[in-house]
Amino acid sequence: MILTCPACQTRYQADAAKFPPQGRSVRCAKCGEVWHQAAPEPEPGAEAFVAQPAPASSSPPPPPPSYPAAEPPPPQVYVQPPIRDVEPQPDMEETQPEESIAPPPSEWPRRIALGAGWVALAVVVIVIGIAATAYRQQIVQVWPQSASLYSRLGMKVRTAGLDIHNIKYTEGQQDGQIVLTVTGALTNVSSREQPVPQIRVGLVDNDQRELYHWTFAPDVMTLRPGQSHNFVTRLSSPPDRARYVNVRFAKAGE
């Protein structure tokens, strides 16, 4: 038999054999409604049972039959609705949680670290340059070969302990041009090794006005105590009015 909840109209399939003639209480599994469900009516066409009278007899009538005490009403039946009779509602459908997608890592930490590295490198280079400039005299004393480098960069270093002597100059012809040759010697007159800076040669006229000058680096970078070195330098087509030659150590910026 089919039961219908009077409250929510949910339909249930139940076994009619479980309902006594007087009916029974039924609870709705969906909304909890309780109602009294009458027993189903007998099927049509079934023959009714007709009691026949007993034949006459001289014996006394039998005592009336004793009926057992009425049984208590059966307990309420909780009927689980069949799955096929309950249609899922849209809000009852299970939804799968959306997969969370992690955002891509930010590029700013890497850029900041790269910029900080370049700044640190620039600071180190600047500090080294300042130290090399401020302490160039101490550096030359420890590493005399650096004197030539400082001289080429136009930085002045003291050359105490070196002497220029035996200056000579001659003019000659080479490939149809006049060539001025200047020679001399360098001697370390100090008690320790000395760096050799660049040498400046100037040409002056009779009025001691300088007409032309040039600088050159000797072939030796340092001289040990007491050591001497001969140098030579040449100039093509010197000025016609040049009469004297001045030779000295080059100063910063020359």
Side-chain angles (χ1 to χ4, degrees), residues 120-174:
L121 179 60
V123 170
V124 171
V125 172
I126 293 174
V127 170
I128 292 176
I130 294 175
T133 303
Y135 300 97
R136 60 182 179 273
Q137 194 62 40
Q138 290 82 351
I139 295 175
V140 168
Q141 292 178 358
V142 176
W143 184 32
Q145 292 84 350
S146 62
S148 298
L149 176 61
Y150 281 115
S151 180
R152 289 184 177 90
L153 294 177
M155 297 182 184
K156 182 180 179 180
V157 291
R158 294 194 301 270
T159 57
L162 292 180
D163 181 39
I164 301 177
H165 56 93
N166 295 336
I167 302 298
K168 297 179 182 180
Y169 59 91
T170 59
E171 289 186 354
Q173 292 284 337
Q174 184 176 358

Side-chain angles (χ1 to χ4, degrees), residues 42-76:
E43 298 179 0
E47 296 181 357
F49 177 74
V50 180
Q52 300 293 333
S57 175
S58 58
S59 60
S66 61
Y67 295 97
E71 297 180 358
Q76 297 179 357

